[in-house]
C-alpha cells in the first residue's frame, strides 16, 4: 500500500477488503474483528482515526468498536515496531526455561517486554502458548514461528529482519 | 485403505516427519469417500446415530458425546427459518496443547471432510472454522485446502450432486483464551467481545446469531470420516478401554522426544512418556503431570500406570482434557509453575464475573509473593480459601476460573511442602539449590 | 403460585421470577450488584449467592446465584447458610481489592450500595496486599462526573446506557482485571438519559455533577415527593434540598409511569428554582425596567383595587398547578379566565382531554406495534420515548418464551432475539434521534403528516385512500404501518401538540377507532407543558386570542398573568402593543421573563419546589407535588396570592387556608370530579400518629446549620398543608404511595432500598400508585381536520416548531447544567429553499428578528422551515403565516460544541 493511501484513515483497498468480509456475514457489525485485523495488517496497528473510520463503515459507534478492539490481545491500539517479536510465556515453555529465552531476546534487542526498539524495528511482547510445545521454548516473529531448535543465534535472526 | 490409516484414522496419511497432505494425496488415500458415502447414501439422522453409536466424545476438553450433541439441534420443523451453523473450534489456546495445529497444518482436508459430514448430519448450511489468530501457517494451509475443495465441488452448492450445500470459511480470532469456550467463541464469531453466554439457551438451540449451532473441536471432527467409512464397531474397537477411537496424545517438558502420537485411547501415561516420548532427559526426575493441558489437575508419578481415558483420569482427580500433557520435572519449583499458570489464567479472564476477574490476580499476586520469599503465615489458607471459592463450578460464570483452579488446588495438595518451605525460608529453595549447583 | 422455603420460612412467590426477585419481593436482605429491577439478570457480580438444596435429604446444598436461578415450587434455599455468607463476604473482598476506600470524599458515601453490601456481608478486614489499579477519569459533560477508580465492574452502566436506553457512546473497554467504563474519548454523554447513570451505578463512579458542586450527604437532605415540570409526562421525582436551596433530583418510583428512570431535563432542569433570575420580592413598576420593592400588603391593596373593576382578565398557565389556576380563575371569574394556551394549542388540547384508552407508560412498554405521528418524542416527551424503546422488545420476549429462556435472563433474551424488534413507524417533520428503533420513517410538513395518518386510517378502514397527494415513498410507509398496526394486538398511536396541528389528533383518533375492530389500541397524546392536560379541562372562559383582542379593543383594561410568559404564545409585537395598551398588568411568577418585565405589579410566586400542588399529566393522572422547602423573602404560592388579593378585596368566596381547600373547590367541578383522590388529606397520619418526615432520621447538624447567622436553633417550619413534616421525626414507612419523600430502610441507604417500599419487585408501591386518573373529559370540542395548510406559491416560508430537550422548555432553561447543554439556535431549510435564500449550511438567516444558524436537510419539506423555539436568542413564538427570511450577512457561527469543562 502506498504511503499516500495510508494517510487516509482507511484506504480503498482496506475498505474493499472489509466490504468483502461483510458480504459473507449476517450483518455489518459482525465484521468488526475482521475489519480491525485488516487495518492492522496494513498499518501494523489501529489508530483512533482508523478505528473511527472503521466504525463508520460498519455502522457502529467508535465506542462500540473500541470496546471490541480493547478486548482482544492481538489488536494493537498503540503503534508497534515494524516487526513484532512475541515470546511465549506459558507453562510448557516455562518448564523449558522460557524465562531464559525471554531474557536473551530482551538482551539481543536491548529492550524489555512491551517496548519498541529505538529504531522502530522491533516491538517485544509476551504471548500465551503458541501451540508448539514440543519445540519449547518458542517465539513468533511477525508470522513466523521459531522453535527452540531454530533459536541459537538470536542476533542473526534479528539481523535478517533488519535488512 | 492402507493399514496405517486404518489404525491411525487421524494422522495415518501424514508422513513421519510431517508434511502437507494435499488434495491429490488426500483423495488418493480414499479422501472424501466418507463424505460421498454419507451425503449420497445416508440420511442425516443415520449419520448422527452412527456417530452416537461409535461413542465419539469431544476432544476439546469436556468429552461430551458428539452424536448426542448433534441430536440437540432442533429438527427443521421446529426451527424458525434461517441458517444452522457448524463451527469448528480451532482456537487451541490451552497451554501445553498443540494437537489441532498438527492436524490443521498437515491434513486440512480431513477436517474439511469431517465438517462436511458433520454439517450434513445437523442440517447446517454454513460452517466456520474459528482459528486462533497466531496460527498463521495453519490458516494458510486450511485456506488453500478450502479453495481446492471448493474447486473440486466438495464445498459450495449441490455437493456430490445432492441438494446439500455448504459454505465454509475461516474466522481468525482477535486472540484470547476465552474464545475457546464455546459460547464466548460464538460471541467472538459474531464480532463481539468474547464474553461467555448463559445457558439456556444452549448453542444447539440458539447459538451463532441466535441460530442453531454446533461447536466441535478440530480433532473431534477429524474422527468423523473414518467412523462413516468403517463403522461404529470398528471405531469402538480402536480404543483400549471404555472409550472409543484413537487420541492424539502429546508430551511437553523435559523428555527426550517431546511430540504428538496418535494412539489407541486408553494408552497408559507411562507408555506415552516412556515409549513414545523417550522418557525423561538424563538428570531430570518426573514430579508432576498436567495430563490434559494447563487447566487440568496435577497428577504425579504414582499415576503413571493410569490409562489416558476420560474415566480413569477423572477417577484420579484430574481430567484428560486435551490429552496433551505437560511434565514438571524436579528442577522446576512448583510454586513458580503455579504462579506461571495463574498468570495465564488471570490475564486471560474475560473480566465479566467477579471471582475470576478479581480473584485470580490476587492468587497470582500471592503466589508471586511466596515465590519471591515475601510469603506470610496464613497465605496458604488464603490461597486455599480463595481457590475453593473461585474453583467450585457454578461459582463463576463460566468454567475458565474452574480450570484455573484445578492445577493450583492440586499443586497445593501434592506439593504443599514446597509452598510451606518458601514461606518458612522466606525464599525459593529451588533458586538456592541451583545457585549451589 | 409456587412456594419456596428460605432459611426455613416458606413464601409464596411469583411464577417465573428468579430467586433474587422472589427474596427481595418478600423484603429479605440478599446482597446483589449487577441485577437491576429494570434490567434484570446477567450473573456478572456473583454477589447474590445462596445455598440451594437438592431435596429434603440434602444437608450440604450448593451455591447458586439467586438472580440466575428460576423459582421452582418446593425449592429450598438458605440465605443465611454459613457457606453462602462466607462466599458473599469473599465477593466483597474481591471487589474491594481495588476500590479506593475514599468514602469520606465520595459523593456516594452514605447512600452507596457498595457500602451497604459491604456492611451487610460483614467483610471488615483487608487481606489483599497488592497495589490498586488506577485510572484516568473522563470529562463526560455538565451532568455526570466520572471517577473510575471506584468501579466494581458490575456492568450496570453500559447495560442501562446502551441496552436499555439505546446510547452508543458509552462502552465497556478492556478485559480481565482491567475493565474501563467510559467513552471512546472524553466528551459530553450523548444520551437524553445519561443522568440515570448516577442512580444505576452502585457506587461513586458516575455522580451527579451539579450536586457534587454544592454537595450534601443524603442524610443531610430534606426531600419531598415531587413531579417533574419538564413536560406532560409528569415523571415522579424526589427533590432534595438543604439550606433552602434545591440540591438534586432523583427518580421517584411510579409503577405505571416513570418506574426507575427519568430524563436529563427532569433530573437537571429543576435547578431553575435556585436561579438568580428568581423573582423574590413584591414590586411596583416605577419606570421602564424599573421596579420598586414594596410591602406585600401594599401590593395586595393595589391588586385588590385592580381586580375590583369589571375590566380585568386573568391568564393562567399550563405550567402552573391546578390550584394556582383555580385560584386565579375564581379571582377573576370563570368567564374572564384564560388557561393561557394559544387557540390552536387550546383546540388541540380540548379534544385531547377527552381521549379514552390513554396508555400508561407501562402500557406503552407493552405495545406490540407503534405509530408516532408528528412528535419528536425525545425532545417533547423523552420518558415516553424510553418506554417506546422497551416496547420494541416484546417480540424478543416472545421468542425467549418459545426457547424456554426466562425473560429476566437479559443477555440470553437479547442474544437469542438478534435484534428482532416490534415495528415502530415514525412520521415526523425531520428525522429524530429515535429513528434507530423505527421500522420505517416518513417526513413532511404537518399537513402532509396528517394526510399520511389519514391514509393509514383509511387503509385500516378498508379504503385504499386515493390520495394523489402522497408520494410513493409515503404510500409505502402507509401500507407498512397499516399492516403492522392491523396485525397487532396492542397497537399504539402516539401524537402530540408540539406542532400545534389539531388535524394530527383527528387522524390519530381515526386510526385509533379503526383499530378497535382488530385489537386493543391505545392512543397517547403529548401535551406541551406539565399541566397542559390539567388546565385544558377548565370549561368556558377565553382563549388567548380572545384575551388579546379584548385588550386591543380596550374592553379589557387590566390583566393578571400568572406563571405565563405571553410572549411565548403570540406574536411579539402584538403582545408588546397589547400589554402597553393596558392600564395595569399584574404578574405572578417565579422567574424573570419578558411578561414579568412588563408588569406594573409583580408578585413573587413559588416554584414547584416551594409549594404543594397538583398537575395533570398526559394520562389524565392528577399528581401531587409537595413543597420541598420554605421559600425565602416574599415568595408565596400563586394561589395564596390570589386568595390574599380576594381577601384584600373583602371577598369571602375563596377563603382557602390550605391546598386541600382549593382541591375541594376543584373537585366540586364536574371536569375535576374525583381529583380529591390525588393525595391523602393533610390530616393523614401513620398508625402511630406520625407525619412523614422530609429529613432523614440521621439528619445531622440541625443545631449548627445556621450557626453562622445565629446560635439559636430555628424552629422547624410547620407544614399544615400536607402529611409531610419539615423534620426528622416521623415515619417514612407504610404511607400512601405518593408520600414517599426518599427511600431508606435499615441497612439499605442507597436508592436500592426501593424494594422495601414495593409490594413486589417491579410492582406497585405498598401504599399504591401515586395520583389518581381522571376520567376522560369531553369538552365538546372536536379538533378540526387539516386547516388548509397546503401551500400555494408564496413569498416566504412557513415556520415549524423544532422543540429541543435542552432549551425549549421555559423553566429548565434556567438550570445551569441545562444551559450548558443548550446549543445556539438554528433553522432547518430544504436545500431548494436554502439556495433560494442564497445560504448554505452554517450561514446565518434573519428570522422574525433573530439571527439563526442554517442547517440544510433534504428531509425538510420545501416551503417550510423548522426553528428551534423558546431558547435564549431564538424566537419565543412562531408566526402562523408565511414569513420572509433573509440571509444575515453579519452572522457569526457560535460554537455548538461544549468546551471541555
Ligand atoms: C476456558 C475454556 C477454553 C476452551 N478452549 C477450547 C479450545 O481452545 N478448543 C476447543 O476445542 N475447546 C475448548 N474449550 C471447550 C469448548 O468449550 C467446547 O467444549 C468444545 O469446543 C466442544 O467441542 P467438542 O465437543 O468437540 O470437544 C474450552 C473451554 C473452556 C471453558
Ligand atoms: S469465569 Fe467469569 S471472568 Fe472468568 S472467563 Fe468465565 S465469565 Fe469471564
Ligand atoms: S446480582 Fe446475581 S450475579 Fe450479580
Amino acid at each position: 500500500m502506498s504511503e499516500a493511501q495510508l494517510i487516509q484513515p482507511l484506504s480503498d483497498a482496506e475498505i474493499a477488503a472489509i466490504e468483502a468480509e461483510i458480504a459473507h456475514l449476517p450483518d455489518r457489525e459482525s465484521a468488526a474483528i475482521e475489519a480491525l485485523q485488516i487495518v492492522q495488517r496494513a498499518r501494523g496497528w489501529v489508530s483512533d482515526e482508523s478505528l473511527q473510520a472503521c466504525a463508520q463503515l460498519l455502522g457502529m459507534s467508535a465506542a462500540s468498536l473500541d470496546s471490541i478492539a480493547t478486548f482482544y490481545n492481538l489488536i494493537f491500539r498503540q503503534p508497534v515496531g515494524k516487526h513484532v517479536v512475541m515470546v511465549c510465556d506459558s507453562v510448557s515453555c516455562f518448564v523449558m526455561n522460557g524465562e531464559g529465552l525471554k531474557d536473551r531476546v530482551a538482551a539481543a534487542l536491548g529492550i524489555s517486554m512491551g517496548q519498541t526498539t529505538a529504531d522502530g524495528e522491533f516491538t517485544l511482547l509476551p504471548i500465551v502458548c503458541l501451540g508448539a510445545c514440543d519445540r519449547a521454548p518458542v517465539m513468533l516473529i511477525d508470522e513466523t514461528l521459531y522453535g527452540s531448535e531454530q533459536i541459537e543465534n538470536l542476533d542473526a535472526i534479528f539481523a535478517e529482519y533488519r535488512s | 485403505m492402507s493399514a496405517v490409516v486404518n489404525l491411525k484414522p487421524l494422522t495415518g496419511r501424514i508422513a513421519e516427519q510431517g508434511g502437507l497432505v494435499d488434495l491429490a494425496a488426500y483423495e488418493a488415500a480414499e479422501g472424501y469417500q466418507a463424505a460421498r458415502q454419507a451425503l449420497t447414501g445416508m440420511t442425516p439422522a443415520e449419520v448422527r446415530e452412527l456417530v452416537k453409536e461409535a461413542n465419539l466424545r469431544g476432544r476439546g476438553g469436556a468429552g461430551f458425546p458428539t452424536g448426542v450433541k448433534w441430536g440437540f439441534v432442533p429438527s427443521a420443523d421446529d426451527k424458525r427459518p434461517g441458517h444452522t451453523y457448524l463451527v469448528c473450534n480451532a482456537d487451541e489456546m490451552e497451554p501445553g496443547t498443540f494437537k489441532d495445529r498438527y492436524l490443521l497444518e498437515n491434513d486440512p482436508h480431513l477436517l474439511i471432510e469431517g465438517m462436511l459430514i458433520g454439517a450434513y448430519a445437523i442440517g447446517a448450511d454454513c460452517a466456520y472454522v474459528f482459528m486462533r489468530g497466531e496460527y498463521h501457517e495453519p490458516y494458510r494451509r486450511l485456506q488453500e485446502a478450502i479453495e481446492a475443495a471448493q474447486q473440486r465441488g466438495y464445498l459450495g452448492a449441490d455437493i456430490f450432486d445432492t441438494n446439500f450445500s455448504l459454505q465454509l470459511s475461516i474466522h481468525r480470532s482477535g486472540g484470547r483464551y476465552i474464545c475457546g469456550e464455546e459460547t464466548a467463541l460464538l460471541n467472538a464469531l459474531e464480532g463481539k467481545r468474547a464474553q461467555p453466554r448463559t445457558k439456556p439457551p444452549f448453542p444447539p438451540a440458539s447459538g451463532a446469531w441466535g441460530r442453531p449451532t454446533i461447536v466441535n473441536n478440530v480433532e473431534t471432527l477429524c474422527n468423523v470420516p473414518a467412523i462413516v467409512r468403517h463403522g461404529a464397531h470398528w471405531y469402538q474397537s480402536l480404543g483400549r478401554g471404555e472409550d472409543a477411537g484413537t487420541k492424539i496424545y502429546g508430551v511437553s517438558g523435559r523428555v527426550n522426544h517431546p511430540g504428538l502420537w496418535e494412539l489407541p485411547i486408553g494408552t497408559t501415561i507411562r507408555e506415552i512418556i516412556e515409549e513414545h516420548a523417550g522418557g525423561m532427559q538424563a538428570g531430570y526426575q518426573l514430579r508432576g503431570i498436567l495430563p490434559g493441558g494447563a487447566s487440568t489437575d496435577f497428577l504425579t508419578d504414582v499415576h503413571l500406570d493410569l490409562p489416558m481415558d476420560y474415566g480413569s483420569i477423572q477417577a484420579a482427580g484430574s481430567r484428560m482434557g486435551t490429552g496433551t500433557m505437560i511434565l514438571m520435572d524436579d528442577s522446576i519449583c512448583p510454586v513458580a509453575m503455579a504462579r506461571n499458570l495463574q498468570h495465564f489464567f488471570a490475564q486471560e479472564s474475560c473480566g465479566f464475573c467477579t471471582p475470576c476477574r478479581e480473584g485470580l490476580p490476587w492468587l497470582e499476586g500471592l503466589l508471586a509473593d511466596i515465590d519471591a520469599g515475601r510469603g506470610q503465615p496464613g497465605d496458604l489458607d488464603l490461597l486455599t480459601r480463595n481457590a475453593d471459592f473461585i474453583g467450585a463450578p457454578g461459582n463463576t460464570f463460566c468454567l475458565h476460573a474452574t480450570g484455573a483452579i484445578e492445577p493450583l488446588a492440586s499443586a497445593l495438595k501434592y506439593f504443599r511442602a514446597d509452598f510451606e518451605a518458601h514461606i518458612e525460608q522466606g525464599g525459593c529453595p529451588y533458586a538456592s539449590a541451583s545457585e549451589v549447583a | 403460585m409456587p412456594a419456596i422455603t428460605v432459611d426455613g420460612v416458606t413464601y409464596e412467590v411469583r411464577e417465573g421470577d428468579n430467586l433474587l426477585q422472589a427474596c427481595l419481593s418478600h423484603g429479605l436482605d440478599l446482597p446483589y450488584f449487577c441485577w437491576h429491577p429494570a434490567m434484570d439478570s446477567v450473573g456478572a457480580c456473583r454477589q447474590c449467592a445462596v445455598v440451594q438444596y437438592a431435596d429434603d435429604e440434602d444437608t450440604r446444598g450448593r451455591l447458586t446465584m439467586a438472580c440466575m436461578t428460576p423459582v421452582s415450587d418446593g425449592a429450598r434455599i438458605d440465605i443465611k447458610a454459613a457457606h453462602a455468607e462466607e462466599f458473599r463476604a469473599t465477593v466483597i473482598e474481591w471487589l474491594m481489592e481495588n476500590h479506593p476506600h475514599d468514602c469520606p470524599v465520595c459523593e456516594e458515601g452514605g447512600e452507596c450500595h457498595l457500602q451497604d453490601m459491604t456492611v451487610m456481608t460483614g467483610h471488615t478486614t483487608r487481606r489483599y496486599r497488592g497495589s490498586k489499579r488506577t485510572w484516568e477519569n473522563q470529562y463526560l459533560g455538565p451532568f455526570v462526573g466520572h471517577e473510575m477508580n471506584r468501579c466494581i465492574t458490575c456492568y450496570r452502566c453500559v447495560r442501562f446506557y446502551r441496552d436499555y436506553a439505546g446510547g452508543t457512546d458509552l462502552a465497556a473497554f478492556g478485559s480481565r482485571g482491567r475493565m474501563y467504563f467510559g467513552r471512546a474519548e472524553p466528551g459530553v454523554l450523548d444520551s437524553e438519559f445519561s443522568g440515570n447513570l448516577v442512580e444505576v451505578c452502585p457506587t461513586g463512579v458516575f455522580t451527579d455533577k451539579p450536586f457534587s458542586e454544592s454537595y450534601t450527604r443524603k442524610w443531610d437532605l430534606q426531600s419531598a415527593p415531587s413531579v417533574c415540570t419538564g413536560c406532560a409526562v409528569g415523571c415522579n421525582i424526589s427533590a432534595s434540598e438543604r439550606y433552602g436551596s434545591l440540591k438534586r433530583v432523583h427518580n421517584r418510583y411510579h409503577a405505571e409511569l416513570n418506574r426507575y428512570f427519568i430524563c436529563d431535563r427532569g433530573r437537571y432542569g429543576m435547578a431553575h428554582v435556585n436561579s438568580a433570575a428568581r423573582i423574590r420580592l413584591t414590586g411596583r413598576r416605577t419606570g421602564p425596567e424599573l421596579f420598586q420593592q414594596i410591602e406585600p400588603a401594599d401590593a395586595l391593596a393595589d391588586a385588590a383595587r385592580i381586580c375590583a373593576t369589571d375590566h380585568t382578565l386573568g391568564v393562567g398557565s399550563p405550567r402552573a398547578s391546578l390550584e394556582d389556576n383555580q385560584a386565579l380563575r375564581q379571582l377573576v371569574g370563570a368567564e374572564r379566565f384564560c388557561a393561557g394556551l394559544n387557540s390552536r394549542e387550546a383546540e388541540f388540547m380540548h379534544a385531547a382531554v377527552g381521549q379514552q384508552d390513554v396508555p400508561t407508560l407501562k402500557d406503552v412498554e407493552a405495545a406490540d406495534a407503534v405509530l408516532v405521528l408528528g412528535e419528536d418524542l425525545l425532545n417533547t416527551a423523552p420518558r415516553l420515548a424510553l418506554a417506546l424503546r422497551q416496547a420494541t422488545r416484546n417480540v424478543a420476549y416472545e421468542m425467549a418464551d418459545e426457547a424456554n429462556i426466562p425473560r429476566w435472563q437479559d443477555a440470553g433474551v437479547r442474544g437469542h432475539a438478534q435484534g428482532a424488534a416490534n415495528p415502530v413507524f415514525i412520521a415526523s417533520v425531520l428525522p429524530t434521534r429515535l429513528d434507530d428503533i423505527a421500522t420505517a420513517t416518513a417526513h413532511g410538513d404537518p399537513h402532509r403528516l396528517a394526510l399520511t395518518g389519514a391514509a393509514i386510517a383509511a387503509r385500516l378502514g378498508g379504503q385504499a385512500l386515493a390520495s394523489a397527494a402522497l408520494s410513493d415513498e409515503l404510500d409505502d410507509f402507509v401500507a407498512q404501518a397499516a399492516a403492522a398496526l392491523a396485525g397487532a394486538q396492542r397497537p399504539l398511536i402516539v401524537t402530540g401538540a408540539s406542532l400545534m396541528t389539531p388535524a394530527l389528533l383527528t387522524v390519530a383518533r381515526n386510526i385509533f377507532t379503526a383499530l378497535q375492530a382488530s385489537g386493543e389500541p391505545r392512543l397517547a397524546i403529548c401535551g406541551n407543558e406539565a399541566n397542559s392536560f390539567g388546565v385544558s379541562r377548565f370549561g368556558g372562559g377565553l382563549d388567548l386570542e380572545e384575551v388579546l383582542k379584548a385588550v386591543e379593543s380596550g374592553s379589557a383594561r387590566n390583566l393578571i398573568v400568572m406563571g405565563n410568559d405571553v410572549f411565548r404564545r403570540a406574536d411579539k409585537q402584538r403582545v408588546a402593543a397589547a400589554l402597553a395598551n393596558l392600564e395595569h398588568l399584574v404578574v405572578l411568577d417565579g422567574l424573570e421573563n419578558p411578561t414579568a418585565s412588563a408588569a406594573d405589579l409583580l408578585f413573587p410566586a413559588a416554584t414547584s419546589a416551594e409549594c404543594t400542588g397538583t398537575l395533570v399529566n398526559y394520562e389524565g393522572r392528577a399528581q401531587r407535588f409537595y413543597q420541598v422547602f420554605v421559600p425565602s423573602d416574599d415568595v408565596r404560592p400563586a394561589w395564596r396570592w390570589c386568595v390574599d388579593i380576594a381577601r384584600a378585596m373583602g371577598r369571602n368566596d375563596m377563603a382557602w387556608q390550605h391546598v386541600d381547600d382549593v382541591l375541594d373547590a376543584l373537585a366540586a367541578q364536574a371536569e375535576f370530579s374525583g381529583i380529591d383522590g390525588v393525595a391523602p388529606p393533610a390530616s393523614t397520619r401513620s398508625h402511630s400518629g406520625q407525619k412523614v418526615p422530609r429529613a432523614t432520621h440521621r439528619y445531622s447538624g440541625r443545631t449548627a446549620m445556621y450557626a453562622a447567622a445565629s446560635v439559636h436553633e430555628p424552629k422547624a417550619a410547620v407544614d399544615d398543608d400536607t402529611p409531610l413534616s419539615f423534620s426528622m421525626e416521623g415515619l417514612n414507612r407504610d404511607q400512601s404511595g405518593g408520600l414517599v419523600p426518599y427511600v431508606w430502610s435499615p441497612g439499605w441507604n442507597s436508592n436500592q432500598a426501593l424494594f422495601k417500599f414495593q409490594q413486589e419487585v417491579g410492582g406497585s408501591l405498598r401504599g399504591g400508585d401515586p395520583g389518581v386518573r381522571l376520567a376522560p373529559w369531553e369538552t365538546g370540542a372536536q379538533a378540526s381536520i387539516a386547516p388548509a395548510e397546503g401551500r400555494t406559491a408564496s413569498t416566504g416560508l412557513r415556520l415549524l416548531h423544532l422543540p429541543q430537550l435542552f432549551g425549549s422548555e421555559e423553566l429548565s432553561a434556567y438550570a445551569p447544567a441545562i444551559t450548558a447543554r443548550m446549543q445556539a439556535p438554528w433553522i432547518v431549510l430544504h436545500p431548494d429553499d436554502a439556495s433560494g435564500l442564497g445560504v448554505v449550511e452554517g450561514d446565518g438567516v434573519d428570522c422574525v428578528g433573530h439571527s439563526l444558524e442554517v442547517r440544510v436537510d433534504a428531509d425538510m419539506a420545501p416551503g417550510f422551515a423548522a426553528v428551534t423555539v423558546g431558547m435564549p436568542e431564538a424566537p419565543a413564538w412562531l408566526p402562523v403565516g408565511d414569513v420572509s427570511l433573509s440571509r444575515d450577512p453579519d452572522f457569526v457561527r457560535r460554537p455548538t460544541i461544549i468546551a471541555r469543562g
Side-chain angles (χ1 to χ4, degrees), chain C residues 630-715:
Chain C
V630 179
S632 61
D633 304 311
D634 298 340
V635 176
R636 291 179 205 176
W639 69 264
R640 279 199 200 277
W641 283 122
C642 293
V643 166
D644 294 344
I645 294 170
R647 185 180 306 122
M649 291 166 73
R651 283 164 59 173
N652 55 11
D653 63 320
M654 48 187 296
W656 303 319
Q657 300 276 328
H658 300 298
V659 174
D660 286 349
D661 302 335
V662 194
L663 197 73
D664 288 343
L666 279 162
Q669 291 158 219
E671 63 265 43
F672 293 107
S673 115
I675 202 170
D676 40 346
V678 66
S683 57
T684 308
R685 297 291 180 274
S686 75
H687 55 81
S688 50
Q690 288 173 295
K691 288 190 123 195
V692 179
R694 283 180 173 86
T696 71
H697 71 271
R698 290 175 181 171
Y699 200 76
S700 67
R702 190 176 56 181
T703 52
M705 256 176 78
Y706 299 103
S710 160
V711 293
H712 299 290
E713 181 187 342
K715 186 175 175 301

Side-chain angles (χ1 to χ4, degrees), chain B residues 308-331:
Chain B
M308 275 286 273
D309 59 31
Y310 297 102
S312 311
I313 303 297
Q314 183 144 17
S318 184
R319 288 187 303 119
M320 188 171 79
T322 61
T324 45
M325 53 188 93
I326 305 144
L327 305 187
M328 180 177 81
D329 62 71
D330 58 347
S331 74

Side-chain angles (χ1 to χ4, degrees), chain B residues 178 196 348-354 356-357 396-401:
Chain B
I178 196 64
E348 294 302 315
S349 160
C350 81
F352 189 63
C353 70
T354 308
C356 175
R357 182 187 64 242
T396 49
F397 190 84
C398 81
L399 290 174
H400 173 83

Side-chain angles (χ1 to χ4, degrees), chain B residues 80 200 206 351 379 385-386, chain C residues 90 94 129 155 402 409 416:
Chain B
R80 287 173 181 244
S206 176
D379 277 1
R385 183 188 139 92
N386 265 290
Chain C
T90 305
W94 289 325
R129 304 198 286 268
Y155 290 85
E402 268 174 50
Q409 216 259 72
H416 182 59

Side-chain angles (χ1 to χ4, degrees), chain A residues 34 37 72 129-131, chain B residues 101 132 140 171-172 192 209:
Chain A
E34 278 84 359
Q37 287 169 335
Y72 292 99
C129 177
L130 285 166
Chain B
R101 174 200 280 272
R132 65 176 297 194
R140 280 189 284 269
H171 172 96
R172 304 188 70 185
K192 299 181 179 144
W209 293 284

Side-chain angles (χ1 to χ4, degrees), chain C residues 565-888:
Chain C
D565 177 13
V566 185
F567 286 92
R568 296 172 75 92
R569 305 190 191 266
D571 181 72
K572 189 173 167 181
Q573 271 78 34
R574 186 174 175 204
V575 173
L579 297 185
N581 214 20
L582 288 167
E583 275 171 29
H584 298 285
L585 174 63
V586 181
V587 170
L588 298 82
D589 213 337
L591 277 141
E592 286 167 10
N593 63 47
T595 305
S597 301
D600 300 300
L601 201 53
L602 193 54
F603 290 94
T607 60
S608 65
E610 295 148 331
C611 65
T612 296
T614 304
L615 302 168
V616 180
N617 79 346
Y618 85 98
E619 306 162 288
R621 188 188 304 272
Q623 304 198 96
R624 189 44 85 74
F625 60 88
Y626 291 91
Q627 186 178 10
V628 186
F629 55 88
V630 179
S632 61
D633 304 311
D634 298 340
V635 176
R636 291 179 205 176
W639 69 264
R640 279 199 200 277
W641 283 122
C642 293
V643 166
D644 294 344
I645 294 170
R647 185 180 306 122
M649 291 166 73
R651 283 164 59 173
N652 55 11
D653 63 320
M654 48 187 296
W656 303 319
Q657 300 276 328
H658 300 298
V659 174
D660 286 349
D661 302 335
V662 194
L663 197 73
D664 288 343
L666 279 162
Q669 291 158 219
E671 63 265 43
F672 293 107
S673 115
I675 202 170
D676 40 346
V678 66
S683 57
T684 308
R685 297 291 180 274
S686 75
H687 55 81
S688 50
Q690 288 173 295
K691 288 190 123 195
V692 179
R694 283 180 173 86
T696 71
H697 71 271
R698 290 175 181 171
Y699 200 76
S700 67
R702 190 176 56 181
T703 52
M705 256 176 78
Y706 299 103
S710 160
V711 293
H712 299 290
E713 181 187 342
K715 186 175 175 301
V718 176
D719 182 356
D720 282 340
D721 272 335
T722 79
L724 296 166
S725 69
F726 288 106
S727 151
M728 50 200 267
E729 279 97 39
L731 192 66
N732 183 19
R733 222 177 59 204
D734 303 331
Q735 70 270 53
S736 169
L739 280 176
V740 180
Y742 60 90
V743 292
W744 181 88
S745 183
W748 298 81
N749 296 290
S750 81
N751 59 359
Q752 304 294 306
L754 174 62
F755 76 95
K756 300 274 189 181
F757 290 77
Q758 291 170 319
Q759 294 175 13
E760 59 194 1
V761 163
S764 292
L765 292 168
R766 285 173 186 249
D769 297 331
V772 62
R773 285 188 83 177
L774 304 177
W777 179 247
E778 283 292 346
T779 57
Q782 268 295 333
S784 58
I785 185 109
E789 288 194 55
R791 286 181 50 75
T792 48
S794 74
T795 49
L797 295 171
R798 200 160 286 179
L799 304 184
L800 304 174
H801 284 245
L802 189 61
Q804 293 303 301
L805 181 62
F806 304 126
S808 291
E809 196 277 320
E810 187 183 351
L811 300 181
S812 58
Y814 281 97
I818 301 282
T819 310
R821 286 294 304 275
M822 283 164 19
Q823 304 193 6
W826 68 95
I827 182 168
V828 185
L829 299 170
H830 184 271
D832 294 347
D833 293 322
S835 56
L837 287 169
V839 292
V840 296
E841 177 105 12
D843 279 356
V845 142
D846 192 20
C847 168
V848 289
H850 294 268
S851 185
L852 303 175
E853 183 182 323
V854 170
R855 298 191 187 175
V856 180
D857 192 329
D859 287 310
M860 189 68 226
F864 290 80
V867 178
T868 57
V869 197
M871 319 206 300
E873 299 178 59
W877 189 80
L878 299 176
V880 179
D882 292 349
V883 172
S884 308
L885 306 178
S886 59
R887 182 166 177 275
D888 175 3

